[in-house]
Amino acid sequence: MPTLIKRTGEGFTAAEDIFTDVADEDAIPNGPVILSMARFQAEGDALVTAGRSVGVRIQPDEAVEDLAYDLPRLALVGAVFPKFRDGRAFTTATLLRERLGYQGEVRAMGEVMRDQALFMVRCGFDSFAPVDGATPSDWAKAAGLFRHVYQRAADHRPPAFEERG
Amino acid sequence: MYQYDVIDHEFLADRAAQFRDQVARRLTGDITEDQFKPLRLMNGLYLQLHAYMLRVAVPYGSLNPTQMRAFAHIARTWDKGYGHFTTRQNIQFNWVKLGDAPDILDHLASVDLHAIQTSGNCIRNVTSDPYAGATAQEVDDPRVWSEVIRQWSTLHPEFSFLPRKFKIAVTAAETDRTAARAHDIGLRVLRNAEGALGFEVMVGGGQGRTPYLAPTIKPFLPAARLISYLEAVLRVYNRHGRRDNIYKARIKILVASLGAEEFARQVEEEWGKIGEGADLPDTELARIRGSFVKVPFETVAPRSEVFEAEQTSDRSFARFVRNNVKAHKQPGYAIVEISLKAPGATPGDASAEQMEAVADLAERYGLSDIRVTHEQNLVLPHVKLDDVPAVHRGLQSVGLATSNISLISDIIACPGLDYCALANARAIPVAQSIQDRFADPDRAEDVGELKIKISGCINACGHHHVGHIGVLGVDKKGEEFYQLSLGGSGAEDASLAAILGPALPADKVADAVDKLVETYLSMRTDGERFLDTFRRAGMAPFKEAVYADAH
Ligand code: HEM
Ligand code: SF4
């Protein structure tokens, strides 16, 4: 089971990942699951109605807005970084938090590394499945490297212009 | 200049510490070159033919003497004694060792400088008018807006991994010294009919292998709404820009494939959803404006006897005044351009001694302000006319008094095959061969404004698409050839150059330029620049002149 790092208030802790990330060609196992958007649209309703805990994995070319009406029923939304340098998931997370008002878990999936920790946290991600072996303390260090930030973001951290206020 | 406060200082210190840690992890092998690459690129560190190259940001091309001296120190300590000013108003050091880069960044941070976002697929260092705050032409000071954008774009959490690099230019004058339409976003500050301040927003320009001039997608954006609108443009691009092919990943391709109108509609829709909440409060706009220290101009006579007398007694000074000294908004002051295009020199290069001399002159005579232009020259924006002769003598003593601004020998050339891993051909020696040909300053002045721009390959770092004469290095069966194009402009009359004809070998380029110039001289009417004559007469006479022998 890959390490999962979760944001808890201002800190970060290791957490057990209770979800199974289900590939489209695999059968849906018992317990909490993460499905692709297409799979969720086809089979999600039945699972949710049956009281299962279901999350959706959004690929960068999928529009997060398409999930708007399902959000209250989702246990988590995962936004995928197929490559470290594919930054579309930052927009996905920002829109989830700022426009769609999603309060549940937003998980960074794919090629997730500590060097993006600050950006991810700022865009509203609160759970991380790093591939670089980063520990919660590495994560906290990377996310906290900067004493100041310049712009507003989904983390609602006061930007420089408010600190100056 | 904008004064950094404690927040800006702490931010730069944190950034330097972060990079030191990343370099350490790379040197110990904790991260692979593949993983390190996007990180070092976001700190301006490129791997080149011979060494690492460090690109340092000069925010909107504005420097103080202490910062210029820091460049001299870096050039001496960690490089080979010189630096290279670029077409993006930055400076590059071509011979840096990876292990030294953290020390260099610390040194830079100590004088409020950095290499943040000088490369990588993020919002790059914002460029602006080198005459800002000095020219009477401007509607507002474009540096204020450039600084607003610098802060907003610095480590922007959503827009640091875009499909491709992203360049923004801000101009506020009739004369465009920023090549605004050749940028991903060009902003022109203006006032509308009601007198309100705002921006004309141009999106989707760029050079490289498919050049585009940016169409205007919003004729008037109220100034206070700048940040929310930029967010909308960037968000549409981040989501929909192509990521499958790096040659089609710039925003220009998205704008061209959707059409400017449809792109504008999508931006407008996104902007509507973002709303005013994303804009900077007026109080912060006012604070930033106030943090530009007021320039302490003296009240002096508009006419300077010293300045006039020196022109009569010293012909070289008179030539310098004709070409390098420009009108200032403050009576009795002038804008002085310093050419980095001396005959035989590498365009844009300056030695540590030259940098220090410029710093001294700026301190003594230039109200401590220095600018870098996108044409790879330097500017002292505020010099009293009385002091121009002394500045000229100071420049002469370090080989910086070349009087050729905007003339045929004021050539832009990319590093080309001498330094660049992607090059097809050398660019610098070709620039030098043209300079040699037009070494006679009287002839160069007679020819007048003529902008030659040279790139060593199709990536167009030397802006050949917007040269009055563009020169592009191509590879023909392993030999260096050069394709000429005519009629480009990066200024307010922006246009893309058209290809003249088959590519020429290196030793024929200067001849060809000579023939183009002779053709122009034989046809020009009063006051016509080369570009104007070309636009009037078309390609045919020029083509005929260059390829006549081939018939
Ligand atoms: C020596 C190492 C360099 C390399 C490997 C390099 C590489 C590139 C590449 C690949 C592009 C095309 C990017 C694209 O179209 O998406 C490009 C564009 C550009 N580069 Fe460079 N470059 C180098 C040096 C420079 C220098 C020294 C300057 C400034 C003098 C410069 C200024 C530019 C500009 C202005 C563009 C055009 C941007 C646009 O398309 O709008 N580059 N460069
Ligand atoms: S135009 Fe080509 S040769 Fe010149 S610097 Fe750019 S990539 Fe290198």
Side-chain angles (χ1 to χ4, degrees):
Chain A
M1 199 176 289
T3 349
L4 196 62
I5 297 173
K6 283 202 177 181
R7 181 167 188 189
T8 46
E10 289 309 302
F12 296 88
T13 51
E16 195 189 340
D17 186 1
I18 57 168
F19 284 84
T20 309
D21 187 17
V22 186
D24 275 351
E25 57 281 10
D26 292 346
I28 295 176
N30 289 328
V33 288
I34 303 175
L35 306 178
S36 70
M37 184 105 114
R39 187 90 175 258
F40 176 78
Q41 280 160 352
E43 300 172 46
D45 202 50
L47 292 169
V48 172
T49 313
R52 296 277 299 270
S53 197
V54 181
V56 171
R57 174 174 80 235
I58 305 185
Q59 297 298 335
D61 57 353
E62 293 171 334
V64 61
E65 290 90 339
D66 292 349
L67 271 185
Y69 298 109
D70 292 311
L71 288 175
R73 330 195 278 161
L74 295 183
L76 74 82
V77 179
V80 181
F81 293 81
K83 284 255 162 52
F84 177 80
R85 59 191 155 76
D86 185 336
R88 286 175 285 184
F90 292 116
T91 293
T92 303
T94 300
L95 293 178
L96 270 170
R97 295 296 190 207
E98 298 286 275
R99 188 161 300 165
L100 304 171
Y102 183 62
Q103 309 270 329
E105 177 176 340
V106 179
R107 182 179 296 187
M109 305 173 75
E111 197 175 358
V112 172
M113 293 174 36
R114 75 190 80 177
D115 302 285
Q116 301 144 315
L118 172 68
F119 297 144
M120 288 180 174
V121 168
R122 297 220 64 213
C123 289
F125 286 102
D126 58 359
S127 95
F128 314 89
V131 294
D132 64 346
T135 63
S137 81
D138 293 333
W139 207 262
K141 187 176 157 215
L145 263 178
F146 289 87
R147 284 168 279 181
H148 310 283
V149 294
Y150 278 112
Q151 56 296 95
R152 290 193 183 98
D155 62 348
H156 297 176
R157 198 174 151 183
F161 60 83
E162 280 175 19
E163 288 188 76
R164 285 166 178 144
Chain B
M1 275 186 75
Y2 179 76
Q3 296 298 304
Y4 278 27
D5 66 3
V6 60
I7 290 181
D8 299 299
H9 287 131
E10 290 182 350
F11 185 90
L12 289 188
D14 292 347
R15 174 61 165 196
Q18 178 192 36
F19 189 61
R20 185 174 289 279
D21 171 67
Q22 288 166 343
V23 170
R25 282 195 287 142
R26 176 71 197 111
L27 290 174
T28 56
D30 283 359
I31 48 176
T32 63
E33 169 57 22
D34 229 35
Q35 291 166 332
F36 181 56
K37 188 175 169 190
L39 306 175
R40 68 168 161 77
L41 284 182
M42 272 197 287
N43 282 290
L45 200 60
Y46 280 86
L47 195 53
Q48 276 310 303
L49 273 184
H50 313 291
Y52 278 99
M53 172 197 95
L54 181 69
R55 184 182 292 158
V56 177
V58 179
Y60 34 96
S62 179
L63 287 171
N64 64 36
T66 309
Q67 293 172 327
M68 186 63 108
R69 289 193 188 102
F71 289 159
H73 176 76
I74 290 168
R76 245 190 225 116
T77 314
W78 292 290
D79 203 301
K80 297 188 174 180
Y82 62 93
H84 178 75
F85 288 95
T86 80
T87 55
R88 301 214 63 259
Q89 301 180 313
N90 291 326
I91 185 169
Q92 289 180 181
F93 296 100
N94 281 317
W95 307 96
V96 166
K97 292 196 195 69
L98 179 57
D100 289 337
D103 289 339
I104 300 178
L105 290 192
D106 277 348
H107 189 72
L108 288 169
S110 74
V111 296
D112 299 346
L113 287 172
H114 58 82
I116 299 172
Q117 289 166 215
T118 53
S119 54
N121 296 333
C122 49
I123 302 168
R124 302 291 189 84
N125 182 35
V126 182
T127 54
S128 189
D129 187 348
Y131 293 2
T135 172
Q137 285 181 328
E138 69 196 10
V139 176
D140 188 24
D141 192 328
R143 291 172 301 171
V144 172
W145 301 103
S146 305
E147 176 61 25
V148 166
I149 297 169
R150 180 192 75 80
Q151 298 196 17
W152 164 75
S153 63
T154 297
L155 300 198
H156 196 292
E158 189 181 341
F159 305 130
S160 289
F161 292 87
L162 297 166
R164 202 77 180 83
K165 58 182 167 185
F166 204 90
K167 303 176 180 180
I168 303 178
V170 187
T171 174
E174 284 153 51
T175 308
D176 179 6
R177 284 167 288 259
T178 67
R181 278 201 199 275
H183 286 74
D184 296 282
I185 298 181
L187 296 169
R188 185 169 72 89
V189 188
L190 49 84
R191 285 189 187 278
N192 68 5
E194 288 77 49
L197 199 64
F199 300 94
E200 175 186 0
V201 185
M202 304 161 248
V203 180
Q207 308 204 40
R209 58 191 66 206
T210 31
Y212 283 102
L213 295 175
T216 296
I217 67 158
K218 197 159 184 70
F220 186 81
L221 171 71
R225 302 297 318 278
L226 177 64
I227 295 300
S228 58
Y229 195 82
L230 291 179
E231 292 221 8
V233 173
L234 267 296
R235 188 168 287 156
V236 169
Y237 173 54
N238 193 38
R239 297 185 91 176
H240 303 300
R242 285 181 63 172
R243 290 176 190 261
D244 57 330
N245 177 340
I246 101 160
Y247 300 118
K248 300 201 186 299
R250 296 284 297 271
I251 197 173
K252 63 190 174 185
I253 304 291
L254 180 66
V255 174
S257 68
L258 289 175
E261 220 167 284
E262 170 59 16
F263 178 79
R265 192 197 61 74
Q266 293 189 12
V267 169
E268 209 68 25
E269 187 181 319
E270 177 60 32
W271 190 43
K273 291 179 187 161
I274 292 174
E276 295 183 9
D279 286 309
L280 215 50
D282 287 343
T283 47
E284 176 66 4
L285 290 175
R287 191 199 64 81
I288 290 178
R289 192 178 287 281
S291 297
F292 280 88
V293 177
K294 206 169 168 327
V295 185
F297 292 121
E298 291 169 39
T299 310
V300 291
R303 187 185 149 89
S304 154
E305 296 311 328
V306 186
F307 180 75
E308 300 300 330
E310 185 87 0
Q311 285 183 74
T312 326
S313 63
D314 179 353
R315 287 190 49 215
S316 74
F317 180 69
R319 190 187 301 283
F320 183 76
V321 171
R322 283 198 301 276
N323 294 301
N324 295 36
V325 176
K326 313 285 171 181
H328 199 286
K329 66 177 182 188
Q330 180 75 16
Y333 279 78
I335 299 169
V336 175
E337 284 226 28
I338 302 170
S339 169
L340 298 180
K341 318 291 177 57
T346 299
D349 273 7
S351 68
E353 294 68 39
Q354 290 175 325
M355 293 184 216
E356 281 162 352
V358 170
D360 292 345
L361 291 170
E363 213 157 56
R364 198 141 166 221
Y365 305 111
L367 297 173
S368 290
D369 205 337
I370 305 165
R371 308 290 171 78
V372 184
T373 78
H374 89 273
E375 308 208 300
Q376 300 183 282
N377 294 316
L378 300 176
V379 172
L380 299 179
H382 313 299
V383 180
K384 257 189 290 182
L385 286 174
D386 284 347
D387 294 331
V388 177
V391 168
H392 180 244
R393 281 190 295 275
L395 293 172
Q396 274 179 324
S397 70
V398 288
L400 283 179
T402 313
S403 303
N404 65 350
I405 297 299
S406 295
L407 300 184
I408 191 164
S409 51
D410 183 6
I411 296 173
I412 292 185
C414 79
L417 200 52
D418 294 304
Y419 299 99
C420 173
L422 304 176
N424 284 327
R426 284 168 297 170
I428 295 164
V430 173
Q432 289 167 348
S433 74
I434 298 170
Q435 285 178 331
D436 284 350
R437 183 63 62 100
F438 292 88
D440 173 0
D442 289 327
R443 178 155 181 242
E445 269 192 73
D446 179 37
V447 174
E449 181 183 313
L450 207 177
K451 305 206 171 184
I452 298 186
K453 305 187 194 238
I454 308 176
S455 306
C457 83
I458 199 154
N459 286 315
C461 303
H463 293 193
H464 65 275
H465 298 299
V466 292
H468 297 178
I469 299 178
V471 182
L472 165 66
V474 293
D475 177 280
K476 269 198 184 175
K477 302 198 186 88
E479 270 186 73
E480 296 166 81
F481 270 70
Y482 296 86
Q483 188 169 70
L484 270 53
S485 50
L486 303 184
S489 167
E492 61 285 356
D493 57 354
S495 59
L496 296 172
I499 292 174
L500 175 71
L504 305 165
D507 59 349
K508 294 280 184 282
V509 175
D511 288 342
V513 171
D514 211 338
K515 286 174 188 156
L516 293 171
V517 167
E518 287 306 322
T519 308
Y520 152 66
L521 291 176
S522 70
M523 289 192 306
R524 76 172 162 193
T525 59
D526 259 4
E528 256 187 358
R529 301 170 301 164
F530 177 90
L531 181 62
D532 304 321
T533 304
F534 171 80
R535 285 178 172 167
R536 175 174 57 76
M539 187 69 87
F542 293 96
K543 189 168 180 150
E544 174 63 26
V546 170
Y547 295 102
D549 302 342
H551 288 310

